[in-house]
Amino acid sequence: MRRNDEMTLGLFLRPAGHHEGSWRDPDVPAKGEVDIDHYAKLAALAEGAALHFIFLADTPSVIEQDYAAMARVSRTICFEPITLLSALSSRTQSIGLAATATTTYHQPYHLARMFASLDHLSGGRAAWNIVTSGHRFEAPNFGEEELPDHDTRYVRAKEFVRVVEGLWDSWEDDAFIRDKQSGVFVDTTKLHVLNHRGSCLSVRGPLNIARPPQGYPVLVQAGASDSGIQFAAEFGEVIFAAEPSLENGKRYYATIKEKARSFGREDSQVLIMPGIVPVIGTSKEEASEKLQRLHSYMHIDTLIGLASRVLGSVADLRSVDLDSFVPESLPQTNFFQSRQKVLLELAARHKLTWRDLIRLVAASRGHLMVVGTPDEVANIMVDTFDQRAADGFNVMPPTLPGGMTEFVGLVVPELRRRGKFRSRYSGQTLRENLGLKRPLNRFTRPIAE
Amino acid sequence: MRRNDEMTLGLFLRPAGHHEGSWRDPDVPAKGEVDIDHYAKLAALAEGAALHFIFLADTPSVIEQDYAAMARVSRTICFEPITLLSALSSRTQSIGLAATATTTYHQPYHLARMFASLDHLSGGRAAWNIVTSGHRFEAPNFGEEELPDHDTRYVRAKEFVRVVEGLWDSWEDDAFIRDKQSGVFVDTTKLHVLNHRGSCLSVRGPLNIARPPQGYPVLVQAGASDSGIQFAAEFGEVIFAAEPSLENGKRYYATIKEKARSFGREDSQVLIMPGIVPVIGTSKEEASEKLQRLHSYMHIDTLIGLASRVLGSVADLRSVDLDSFVPESLPQTNFFQSRQKVLLELAARHKLTWRDLIRLVAASRGHLMVVGTPDEVANIMVDTFDQRAADGFNVMPPTLPGGMTEFVGLVVPELRRRGKFRSRYSGQTLRENLGLKRPLNRFTRPIAE
């Protein structure tokens, strides 16, 4: 259903927008983080422009732990994503609903059920962004002292996804007969008990909900470490990458597609969608001023808290001169290895000071940021798409709803003028809209598959 | 906000209704179990009549395991309740949203978050029906061979509820300042880290969502065993009881209120709401015929499957003469001890055969069933209320939506005529509508409390 010459677009939702200082912007509602109407408005903006999905990140813990920094950021609290998207399923018609959930601290039975439920609630619009837990304060919320190490997390993640898929396959698509006359509701020969016993998980099944309308909700993945790339190539249907440079983006794109082919997967079934932060103005100067204004909203404690979090608290940033250059390497940590690497490469390439780097992180968190006119933003998106560094983008407006109103009103028309974005939904389900095949039930799949 | 001379009413939702044969009724939609529009219609019916809440049971497993019986029942699949109620929060304005979730196989951090999220999504209308897992096929879905024994489950349940309450108290009600001018978003002196280390659970906190609008979602409890009654008296604000007889109901009511007083709780803060199955006709004969018609929808395999499930598979019912009398006692099991006791008492009192008992179970599952005219149904409800065997009822229509349309259109007006039920919502939140106090945050509570 999707034309290959058109890009896919998602809206990455954060209550106030993606810039760390955005909540202080006059145009951002003060209490958006637990206001369903705020989210419904954002979803409506995205749906009005025929975007493919809205996307929610998630961490089951308060992220910031430096109280001085935490006092000044708005993202310590938010809705739980699956409940939020369930509510939004009743307020939207066509747009996909993508929620992040960790494989490290969830139970596969509960998670399989909730995503199946969301897929039924929305008529086939659910997506699951599969992650492993990377924040050290998640562990003690679930009875553990520390996070499992990086590789162990990926071993569990892989088994977890297979179990969840197996649970979604508990009932064949045509298992439910519902014949009032004969009194037969279900053909129990089409029920399959998983009986999984693996190295990390033991789950019997069957799931107590019919197979999701999409077969499986769309599987999103964002891994960028070696294990992450491997995982993405094997399971990811939408890959949410952080690729701030065109060369790296092209390399990453080629790597993933090639690895996916080695798993027998077609290029069209693996969509690479890096994040993009569009800072839009009527002129480049106006756009730059907007960015500077957002930067000015950040207190020094916010900057330091952010850097410590993203870079893994390895440098004692309170004693560092913020105007000195970032060193080329830092000790490796157990948290977000790949993101740290991207940022250090960026700093080295552009000769950034700590202050420059932290501001960049505050604005883009390692994603591609474009500061300019709608025309310039569209050009970079089209170029990135045409040069095969992206099949589409996960759009991360610096402020919300303002940044999305601008993107939808000014950039989307430019993309359409260039023939690179559709003007309406082509399918019913998210899979159809993304051009992704509906997976066959593993219990009815021909042996060859 | 609630008048003491008026009863509280909930609607216990099951896709096709509460009679085991209901899905074959011509008036019941064939695919209701995963149809959000079906549920939205039921919620609208209940809200239109100013009922206090809709209520969803839950078991994280397929309940039936005898395939012959399972083929003929509709309740093997359903929505996951918290996602369903999140969706319904966007389609309703005033009615409470009560979901069941087990303390045995959930993680308190996830559950505290989801209920807090639902409470924010709905503007303070969430309720949690606290249960322990009682179906043996739940255990293997969560990596365990067998359920923990009855008392062990209650030990965990108690600790679980205290942890969840503690997580809801992570942020004081006025912690979020959101002062754009000064850049201070939150007063971190009003953040409280739980740091719980108990015998069953270890949970650090804090929760990553603001305190629920209701302080805590309303706590519902349905325990009827000794540990269950103790638990209900300590924590339950709404007690969902199964009391088919007036004498037992009065005794149960007095016991719970007295035990609650021993925990320092006021009578008005503990609402006893037994289930009631109204089978309504323009005459008693018509109502009886309706019940017989529903009974006729049940195949022998359905009857036997149901009895095995509810009575704990202790009798080999395939070899039993269904027209013989039920014995006075059966060996005790680890499942639903209290429900089994209620049913055996019923059978003994009314000299029931196996077929009678199973049909009663199929229609009422041990709850009060009234077969008659709207006037007769209203009389029994008012009598039960006036004689202090109930503060209200959880209504379990035999078919849905038909049974609810009748209840709302015919019985509710009778209750109003007798001055026993309100005609509109008196408060904003479920707590206000039930007359329940908003709990203080444990970290700001005066010492005396």
Side-chain angles (χ1 to χ4, degrees):
Chain A
M1 305 280 270
R2 187 176 70 84
R3 287 173 44 184
N4 280 335
D5 57 347
E6 289 187 343
M7 60 179 71
T8 51
L9 290 179
L11 166 61
F12 184 171
L13 288 176
R14 294 225 301 185
H18 287 266
H19 194 290
E20 207 67 12
S22 60
W23 72 270
R24 294 180 67 186
D25 196 80
D27 294 335
V28 171
K31 300 183 179 185
E33 72 282 346
V34 284
D35 177 359
I36 177 66
D37 292 329
H38 174 58
Y39 282 93
K41 186 174 174 178
L42 296 172
L45 271 171
E47 189 168 66
L51 262 64
H52 292 76
F53 57 78
I54 53 177
F55 175 93
L56 290 162
D58 191 55
T59 306
S61 74
V62 168
I63 291 172
E64 196 70 55
Q65 297 295 332
D66 172 336
Y67 279 27
M70 191 156 62
R72 297 178 173 279
V73 295
S74 65
R75 62 183 160 58
T76 40
I77 56 165
C78 59
F79 282 113
E80 185 284 324
I82 304 177
T83 45
L84 173 58
L85 292 183
S86 298
L88 290 176
S89 74
S90 280
R91 294 190 174 210
T92 52
Q93 299 294 322
S94 308
I95 198 163
L97 307 166
T100 302
T102 179
T103 53
T104 310
Y105 292 118
H106 270 288
Q107 289 273 9
Y109 196 90
H110 289 313
L111 208 60
R113 240 189 125 188
M114 287 193 289
F115 275 106
S117 197
L118 178 61
D119 208 43
H120 281 285
L121 287 170
S122 61
R125 296 188 281 131
W128 171 28
N129 180 34
I130 307 159
V131 299
T132 73
S133 288
H135 289 283
R136 66 195 167 101
F137 286 102
E138 292 179 64
N141 288 336
F142 301 96
E144 296 194 355
E145 295 288 325
E146 298 202 16
L147 291 175
D149 69 39
H150 190 267
D151 291 343
T152 307
R153 297 201 302 265
Y154 271 93
V155 169
R156 179 181 163 104
K158 208 175 251 195
E159 189 177 333
F160 194 108
V161 173
R162 290 214 179 94
V163 166
V164 166
E165 288 182 343
L167 289 171
W168 285 331
D169 286 337
S170 295
W171 305 89
E172 293 179 28
D173 290 314
D174 57 354
F176 297 95
I177 301 165
R178 304 180 173 94
D179 182 5
K180 291 187 179 191
Q181 200 56 41
S182 69
V184 176
F185 188 83
V186 57
D187 177 353
T188 54
T189 67
K190 298 189 171 177
L191 163 61
H192 302 281
V193 181
L194 186 63
N195 275 325
H196 173 85
R197 284 174 188 274
S199 61
C200 306
L201 297 162
S202 168
V203 181
R204 180 179 181 272
L207 203 62
N208 56 356
I209 184 165
R211 196 160 189 259
Q214 296 186 101
Y216 307 158
V218 172
L219 300 182
V220 185
Q221 225 279 327
S225 63
D226 287 347
S227 342
I229 286 176
Q230 197 70 16
F231 191 90
E234 186 170 357
F235 295 103
E237 299 180 293
V238 169
I239 316 292
F240 176 38
E243 282 303 343
S245 83
L246 185 61
E247 322 89 83
N248 281 355
K250 286 164 72 172
R251 197 159 52 231
Y252 180 82
Y253 186 101
T255 305
I256 295 269
K257 297 267 174 171
E258 192 187 316
K259 275 195 198 291
R261 266 175 242 128
S262 76
F263 286 106
R265 304 181 62 202
E266 295 168 36
D267 279 15
S268 67
Q269 300 301 298
V270 184
L271 301 170
I272 319 272
M273 297 179 65
I276 182 171
V277 179
V279 185
I280 303 163
T282 53
S283 65
K284 204 179 229 357
E285 293 66 39
E286 193 189 288
S288 282
E289 279 162 23
K290 183 181 287 179
L291 184 61
Q292 291 309 315
R293 192 179 71 239
L294 289 170
H295 284 342
S296 77
Y297 291 143
M298 293 187 300
H299 190 271
I300 182 77
D301 290 335
T302 309
L303 293 178
I304 290 177
L306 184 68
S308 307
R309 182 166 69 82
V310 173
L311 295 169
S313 305
V314 285
D316 181 357
L317 289 168
R318 287 200 182 272
S319 62
V320 152
D321 174 5
L322 289 182
D323 295 309
S324 67
F325 291 106
V326 177
E328 294 207 0
S329 69
L330 291 169
Q332 192 168 335
T333 72
N334 191 23
F335 318 106
F336 301 119
Q337 297 173 0
S338 48
R339 188 189 291 176
Q340 192 191 94
K341 188 161 152 269
V342 168
L343 292 173
L344 292 180
E345 278 174 14
L346 253 184
R349 189 173 336 124
H350 299 288
K351 277 277 183 194
L352 300 181
T353 63
W354 277 109
R355 191 184 304 276
D356 297 333
L357 178 64
I358 295 167
R359 285 184 161 178
L360 194 65
V361 168
S364 71
R365 288 178 292 141
H367 290 276
L368 172 64
M369 179 164 68
V370 189
V371 184
T373 63
D375 192 60
E376 288 168 323
V377 174
N379 283 345
I380 287 181
M381 291 176 74
V382 169
D383 192 45
T384 307
F385 176 77
D386 285 346
Q387 294 211 37
R388 302 183 67 75
D391 295 306
F393 299 90
N394 207 358
V395 183
M396 304 164 63
T399 62
L400 286 168
M404 188 58 189
T405 310
E406 290 167 351
F407 183 82
V408 161
L410 304 171
V411 178
V412 168
E414 290 294 333
L415 295 173
R416 290 196 180 125
R417 207 164 295 141
R418 291 157 172 78
K420 296 298 180 183
F421 193 63
R422 64 183 183 181
S423 48
R424 57 180 189 78
Y425 290 96
S426 52
Q428 290 287 316
T429 69
L430 177 57
R431 283 192 176 276
E432 288 168 3
N433 277 304
L434 290 170
L436 296 173
K437 292 180 187 160
R438 188 175 187 280
L440 295 176
N441 190 313
R442 68 170 63 181
F443 297 106
T444 58
R445 220 173 271 169
I447 307 290
E449 282 231 346
Chain B
M1 306 280 270
R2 187 175 69 84
R3 288 172 43 184
N4 281 335
D5 57 346
E6 290 186 343
M7 59 178 69
T8 52
L9 291 178
L11 166 61
F12 184 170
L13 287 176
R14 294 225 302 187
H18 286 267
H19 195 290
E20 207 67 13
S22 60
W23 72 269
R24 294 180 68 186
D25 196 80
D27 294 335
V28 171
K31 300 185 179 186
E33 71 283 347
V34 283
D35 177 359
I36 177 66
D37 292 329
H38 175 59
Y39 282 93
K41 186 174 174 177
L42 296 172
L45 272 172
E47 189 168 67
L51 261 64
H52 292 76
F53 56 79
I54 52 178
F55 176 95
L56 290 160
D58 191 54
T59 306
S61 74
V62 168
I63 290 173
E64 196 71 53
Q65 298 295 332
D66 171 337
Y67 279 26
M70 191 156 62
R72 297 177 173 278
V73 295
S74 65
R75 62 183 159 55
T76 40
I77 55 165
C78 59
F79 282 113
E80 185 284 324
I82 305 177
T83 45
L84 172 58
L85 292 183
S86 297
L88 291 176
S89 75
S90 280
R91 294 189 174 212
T92 52
Q93 298 295 320
S94 307
I95 197 163
L97 307 165
T100 301
T102 178
T103 53
T104 310
Y105 293 118
H106 270 288
Q107 289 273 9
Y109 197 91
H110 289 313
L111 208 59
R113 240 188 124 189
M114 286 193 288
F115 275 106
S117 198
L118 178 61
D119 208 43
H120 281 285
L121 287 170
S122 61
R125 296 187 282 132
W128 171 27
N129 180 35
I130 308 159
V131 298
T132 73
S133 287
H135 289 282
R136 68 195 165 100
F137 286 102
E138 292 179 64
N141 288 336
F142 301 96
E144 295 193 357
E145 295 288 325
E146 299 203 14
L147 290 176
D149 68 38
H150 190 268
D151 290 343
T152 306
R153 297 202 302 264
Y154 272 94
V155 169
R156 179 180 162 103
K158 208 176 250 196
E159 189 177 333
F160 194 109
V161 173
R162 291 214 179 93
V163 166
V164 167
E165 289 183 343
L167 289 170
W168 285 331
D169 286 337
S170 295
W171 306 88
E172 294 179 27
D173 290 314
D174 57 353
F176 298 95
I177 302 166
R178 303 179 174 97
D179 181 5
K180 292 188 178 189
Q181 200 55 41
S182 68
V184 175
F185 188 83
V186 57
D187 177 353
T188 53
T189 66
K190 297 189 171 176
L191 163 62
H192 303 280
V193 180
L194 186 63
N195 276 325
H196 173 86
R197 283 173 189 275
S199 60
C200 306
L201 296 162
S202 167
V203 182
R204 180 179 180 272
L207 203 62
N208 56 356
I209 184 165
R211 196 160 189 260
Q214 296 186 101
Y216 307 158
V218 172
L219 300 182
V220 185
Q221 225 279 325
S225 63
D226 286 346
S227 344
I229 286 177
Q230 197 69 19
F231 190 90
E234 187 170 357
F235 294 104
E237 299 179 293
V238 169
I239 316 292
F240 176 39
E243 283 303 343
S245 83
L246 185 61
E247 323 87 85
N248 281 355
K250 285 164 73 172
R251 198 160 49 232
Y252 180 82
Y253 185 101
T255 304
I256 294 269
K257 297 266 175 170
E258 190 187 316
K259 275 195 197 290
R261 266 176 243 127
S262 77
F263 287 106
R265 305 181 63 203
E266 296 167 36
D267 279 16
S268 67
Q269 301 301 299
V270 183
L271 301 169
I272 319 273
M273 296 179 66
I276 182 172
V277 179
V279 184
I280 303 164
T282 53
S283 64
K284 204 179 229 358
E285 293 65 42
E286 192 190 288
S288 282
E289 279 162 23
K290 184 182 287 180
L291 184 61
Q292 292 308 316
R293 191 178 73 236
L294 289 170
H295 284 342
S296 77
Y297 292 143
M298 294 187 300
H299 189 272
I300 183 78
D301 291 335
T302 308
L303 293 178
I304 289 177
L306 184 68
S308 306
R309 183 166 68 81
V310 174
L311 295 168
S313 304
V314 285
D316 181 358
L317 289 168
R318 288 200 182 272
S319 61
V320 152
D321 174 5
L322 289 182
D323 295 309
S324 68
F325 292 105
V326 177
E328 293 208 1
S329 69
L330 290 168
Q332 191 168 335
T333 71
N334 190 23
F335 319 105
F336 301 119
Q337 296 173 3
S338 48
R339 188 190 291 178
Q340 193 191 95
K341 188 161 153 269
V342 167
L343 292 173
L344 292 180
E345 278 174 16
L346 253 184
R349 187 173 337 123
H350 299 288
K351 278 274 182 197
L352 301 181
T353 64
W354 277 109
R355 190 184 304 275
D356 297 332
L357 178 64
I358 295 168
R359 285 185 161 178
L360 195 65
V361 168
S364 71
R365 289 178 291 141
H367 290 274
L368 172 64
M369 179 163 67
V370 188
V371 184
T373 63
D375 192 58
E376 288 168 324
V377 173
N379 283 345
I380 286 181
M381 292 176 75
V382 169
D383 192 44
T384 307
F385 176 76
D386 285 346
Q387 293 212 37
R388 301 181 68 76
D391 296 306
F393 299 90
N394 207 359
V395 183
M396 304 165 62
T399 62
L400 284 168
M404 188 58 188
T405 310
E406 290 167 349
F407 183 82
V408 160
L410 304 172
V411 177
V412 167
E414 291 294 333
L415 295 173
R416 289 195 180 125
R417 207 164 295 140
R418 290 159 172 77
K420 297 298 181 183
F421 193 63
R422 65 184 183 182
S423 48
R424 56 180 190 80
Y425 290 96
S426 52
Q428 290 287 316
T429 68
L430 177 57
R431 282 191 177 277
E432 288 168 2
N433 277 305
L434 290 170
L436 296 172
K437 292 179 188 161
R438 187 175 188 278
L440 295 175
N441 189 312
R442 69 170 63 179
F443 297 106
T444 58
R445 221 173 270 169
I447 307 291
E449 282 230 345

